[in-house]
Amino acid sequence: MAPPRRFAPSLLLLCSSMLVAGPIAAQAPAYDLIIRGGTLYDGSGKPPVVGDLAIKDDRIVAVGKVDGTAKSEVAAKGMAVAPGFINMLSWATESLIADPKSQSDIRQGVTLEVMGEGWSMGPMNATMKRQETERQGDIKYPIEWTTLGDYFGWLEKRGISTNVASFVGAATVRVHELGEGDVDPNPEQLARMRALVKQAMNEGAMGVGSSIIYAPGSYAETDELVALTSEAAKCGGMYISHMRSEGDRIEEAGDELIEISRRSGAPAEIYHLKMAGRSNWGKLDTIVKKIEDARAAGLRITTDMYTYTAGATGLDAAMPTWVQAGGLEQWIERLKDPAIRARVAEEMKKPGSDWENLYFGAGADKMILSGFKNDALKPLTGKTLAEVAKMRGKSPEETAMDLVVEDGSRVGTVYFLMSEDNVRKQIQLPWMSFGSDAASQAPEGVFLKSGAHPRTYGNFARLLGRYVRDEKLIPLEQAVYRLTTLPATNLGIKDRGALKPGYYADVVVFDPATIGDRSTFEKPHQYSVGVRDVFVNGVAVLQGGEHSGATPGRAVRGAGWNRCS
């Protein structure tokens, strides 16, 4: 009988290693997450398909039929799976500082907040930092940054749940070099303003954002805006504007925006398109034709909107811009002068000759006071200007001026100005995207100290629930396209806004049958419903309708980032 064969120790170890490693390697999860069996709306506008979506690290790596395993799986049968929504006009600049969870937007599927309507969080000089600190309302914070790029880094370091992007504010650049007066820049000042735009573009700004209905942005003339926008255009940026008029002179305002686009070489977008004031409701077709003609001529003109018939701003939009020259403090001082008050009151009673009078357009009984700085005035929140005037035994004009002086602020105000029919027509425009024009809040803490416009909590859910599902104005796949791929394309953002392999994993899972807004003007602090899960850069931020507390948000930078020289 032959002796038993013996293996060398090294060979035994090798065989043992192969036996152990083989099964483990085969079973190792290929992905971090698989969303199984959802109805995939990929952002293209094409009809959806049922399938899976796999995520590894911060990217989408497979879409369709996904084999293999993942560290975790989410069942999505009967649910819509879409790219995260882009809020084209966000005022989360301060609210993300107070609460980085961005709940009112996350719970609607928003994964990118785009800021910069006329004002941006940089560049700032020492005077601007001091003034902005003194003017802070309910949300208090140290201004520990100087440039827009610094602000991005500051937010990322603190942690935020949504991604953020920003235009550089035309008014911010103007104030940086000229202060808040009604003056024109000389050649040297304009050159410095252009250099600030170039710097912001190099830091990742999306372009130049203006708000030329309000002082001090309204003091900028067309040539100044062309000069600033030309710098953005060289860096791949765009021009986006709250135009000089949304009412009586909206045709001229539209012409100016198109001229700025043509002369600068930058694409342009109209912020929150609207026809403000009953006498202007019939102008929508004229404005649409102007845009269509410009697009046919080769200019890329687009628009965004919010899905409500009321806007929200301040009592500054009820008073002529000349009284506001020099900034808030000088405006308040002027309103203490009886002769000036008398002049302002008279001008408030008629259409503005060179300014947009929202007080005249809405009327005191269609103006809800929504935000005060002074605790003594906060009980007036939610009342109309007409109601407060009656309580005080004064005219609405006198009351408005008194409130600005007493509050030391512009006083947050909701104006009912628009037509529901126009809202419906605008939703159907193929080049229309959407923005809340609001902060991202929560029904808790500091946010309950003031009122809010319902668009804060409901803009995107209202679109998908009321106008898409219930009224069937556009198909759901078209709505998703205009919440995702369209704005991402307009902004020049790469690798976001679609469900494609290689794209960042910003994903929303929602129920088309139940999604809807719940916020009202009477009770605004109410979350929307119907969004179940939200992933930002591959991390679950909303799970089963509840916030996870995760803060994976990043700054999303524009085409000029580190390349604009």
Side-chain angles (χ1 to χ4, degrees):
M1 183 174 180
R5 299 178 63 184
R6 300 188 181 275
F7 295 94
S10 59
L11 184 58
L12 286 170
L13 286 172
L14 177 60
C15 293
S16 174
S17 173
M18 291 173 65
L19 288 170
V20 173
I24 291 177
Q27 294 174 9
Y31 311 108
D32 292 327
L33 171 71
I34 297 175
I35 300 173
R36 291 279 189 197
T39 304
L40 305 178
Y41 292 81
D42 64 6
S44 68
K46 296 177 182 177
V49 297
V50 175
D52 311 323
L53 184 144
I55 295 170
K56 179 74 172 177
D57 297 324
D58 60 356
R59 301 273 182 159
I60 297 168
V61 292
V63 180
K65 177 77 167 67
V66 176
D67 296 319
T69 60
K71 295 177 183 176
S72 61
E73 292 198 4
V74 171
K77 183 178 180 180
M79 305 291 283
V81 180
F85 303 150
I86 296 175
N87 184 350
M88 273 300 295
L89 175 48
S90 170
W91 279 106
T93 44
E94 294 183 329
S95 60
L96 281 173
I97 297 173
D99 180 2
K101 291 185 287 188
S102 197
Q103 294 229 54
S104 62
D105 270 359
I106 282 287
R107 289 170 180 263
Q108 296 183 78
V110 171
T111 58
L112 174 59
E113 312 274 7
V114 185
M115 308 161 177
E117 185 201 356
W119 177 262
S120 55
M121 297 297 265
M124 291 196 194
N125 57 32
T127 299
M128 295 168 74
K129 289 185 181 184
R130 176 182 56 77
Q131 288 177 334
E132 290 305 309
T133 301
E134 292 172 352
R135 295 172 182 174
Q136 287 173 2
D138 293 332
I139 299 173
K140 310 290 186 185
Y141 56 93
I143 301 178
E144 299 176 340
W145 61 88
T146 299
T147 69
L148 186 59
D150 292 342
Y151 172 72
F152 287 154
W154 191 80
L155 278 184
E156 286 181 318
K157 185 176 180 180
R158 295 181 80 248
I160 47 177
S161 290
T162 53
N163 298 315
V164 294
S166 183
F167 289 82
V168 60
T172 308
V173 170
R174 164 173 261 271
V175 171
H176 193 283
E177 294 302 316
L178 306 178
E180 296 179 310
D182 185 0
V183 297
D184 295 326
N186 62 37
E188 292 77 17
Q189 291 168 326
L190 185 58
R192 292 198 297 271
M193 292 163 68
R194 295 178 73 142
L196 288 172
V197 170
K198 181 184 289 187
Q199 177 186 347
M201 293 300 297
N202 199 51
E203 294 169 343
M206 294 290 161
V208 171
S210 75
S211 185
I212 47 180
I213 192 174
Y214 306 117
S218 59
Y219 305 142
E221 297 180 1
T222 305
D223 288 347
E224 177 183 323
L225 295 168
V226 169
L228 299 184
T229 303
S230 296
E231 294 299 328
K234 294 174 187 175
C235 305
M238 65 184 293
Y239 176 68
I240 190 167
S241 180
H242 182 154
M243 299 190 301
R244 239 176 256 281
S245 173
E246 297 175 318
D248 295 342
R249 294 176 303 281
I250 191 169
E251 296 99 333
E252 296 88 338
D255 289 339
E256 182 185 34
L257 178 129
I258 292 168
E259 178 186 352
I260 291 169
S261 175
R262 177 178 54 79
R263 290 174 57 190
S264 69
E269 179 153 318
I270 298 172
Y271 272 133
H272 44 58
L273 181 68
K274 65 175 73 74
M275 311 297 121
R278 181 178 293 273
S279 62
N280 299 305
W281 289 356
K283 296 179 179 179
L284 178 59
D285 289 345
T286 301
I287 299 304
V288 169
K289 186 176 187 304
K290 283 183 183 290
I291 294 169
E292 293 282 14
D293 288 348
R295 289 171 63 86
L299 297 180
R300 201 185 81 201
I301 308 297
T302 52
T303 60
D304 57 63
M305 67 177 290
Y306 47 79
T307 54
Y308 295 84
T309 58
T313 178
L315 288 177
D316 50 340
M319 301 182 202
T321 53
W322 62 260
V323 77
Q324 302 172 51
L328 175 67
E329 294 75 21
Q330 291 190 43
W331 174 26
I332 290 172
E333 283 304 308
R334 292 190 187 103
L335 292 183
K336 297 175 182 177
D337 183 319
I340 291 177
R341 288 174 68 93
R343 178 183 169 190
V344 170
E346 285 304 308
E347 292 192 25
M348 289 174 68
K349 296 175 184 176
K350 55 191 177 185
S353 59
D354 59 353
W355 62 287
E356 191 90 340
N357 188 349
L358 298 193
Y359 170 81
F360 183 83
D365 61 333
K366 294 292 191 294
M367 295 168 56
I368 297 175
L369 303 171
S370 60
F372 293 97
K373 181 178 178 180
N374 183 345
D375 288 341
L377 296 177
K378 287 186 182 295
L380 301 179
T381 301
K383 298 184 182 300
T384 66
L385 178 61
E387 289 173 329
V388 176
K390 184 177 181 180
M391 288 167 53
R392 293 184 168 206
K394 289 188 174 184
S395 71
E397 298 84 12
E398 289 285 339
T399 302
M401 289 184 279
D402 287 345
L403 291 174
V404 169
V405 172
E406 294 170 28
D407 200 53
S409 84
R410 65 200 288 257
V411 180
T413 311
V414 173
Y415 296 80
F416 287 84
L417 292 161
M418 283 80 76
S419 153
E420 180 65 31
D421 286 343
N422 280 347
V423 169
R424 293 188 176 100
K425 290 176 183 177
Q426 289 180 195
I427 285 171
Q428 297 175 73
L429 295 171
W431 26 261
M432 179 69 73
S433 54
F434 299 88
S436 68
D437 194 10
S440 187
Q441 300 188 7
E444 59 188 41
V446 69
F447 302 119
L448 293 180
K449 292 185 176 183
S450 296
H453 191 299
R455 66 193 185 192
T456 305
Y457 288 86
N459 188 61
F460 307 95
R462 183 179 179 86
L463 169 69
L464 298 175
R466 176 172 179 170
Y467 294 111
V468 174
R469 180 190 61 237
D470 299 342
E471 299 191 13
K472 297 179 171 56
L473 295 183
I474 56 174
L476 181 53
E477 57 264 31
Q478 179 64 208
V480 170
Y481 162 71
R482 295 210 264 116
L483 287 167
T484 59
T485 296
L486 176 63
T489 301
N490 292 341
L491 292 166
I493 295 173
K494 296 184 182 300
D495 298 342
R496 294 188 192 270
L499 300 183
K500 292 183 179 180
Y503 274 49
Y504 286 98
D506 299 333
V507 182
V508 54
V509 180
F510 66 95
D511 184 352
T514 62
I515 192 167
D517 60 308
R518 294 293 181 268
S519 177
T520 66
F521 288 99
E522 295 74 26
K523 295 182 178 180
H525 290 289
Q526 299 186 77
Y527 289 132
S528 290
V529 297
V531 174
R532 194 190 71 183
D533 307 305
V534 176
F535 303 88
V536 178
N537 298 312
V539 177
V541 174
L542 197 71
Q543 293 178 296
E546 295 300 323
H547 203 290
S548 70
T551 54
R554 301 173 186 168
V556 175
R557 295 172 172 87
W561 184 35
N562 288 335
R563 295 192 296 272
C564 186
S565 59

